[in-house]
Amino acid sequence: MQDHVYKIIELVGSSETSVEDAIQQAITRASRTLNHLRWFEVTQTRGHIEQGKVHHYQVTLKVGFTLEE
């Protein structure tokens, strides 16, 4: 049985489309340089309003990944 030890980092993703897209943008970008991403937790959700409409979403995430041996 493997021990599960994780390193946790904080990321901020942004999107003009949706909260879900902001999350995916952050995870996709992090996966280019980090290996073994396993889970995420949304800790903050923000947005920007222009002319009475949501213009931009910003999401802060905690992301956990396993350490290499």
Side-chain angles (χ1 to χ4, degrees), residues 20-67:
E20 290 83 4
D21 190 52
I23 293 167
Q24 191 61 59
Q25 293 288 340
I27 297 297
T28 298
R29 177 58 186 90
S31 70
R32 291 184 200 158
T33 55
L34 298 172
N35 297 318
H36 313 298
L37 298 176
R38 298 292 185 238
W39 57 266
F40 71 91
E41 173 188 357
V42 175
T43 58
Q44 293 182 2
T45 305
R46 289 182 291 286
H48 178 73
I49 300 168
E50 284 188 15
Q51 299 177 356
K53 294 186 179 184
V54 176
H55 181 69
H56 191 242
Y57 301 89
Q58 190 176 57
V59 179
T60 303
L61 314 165
K62 288 184 180 179
V63 177
F65 60 96
T66 54
L67 301 173

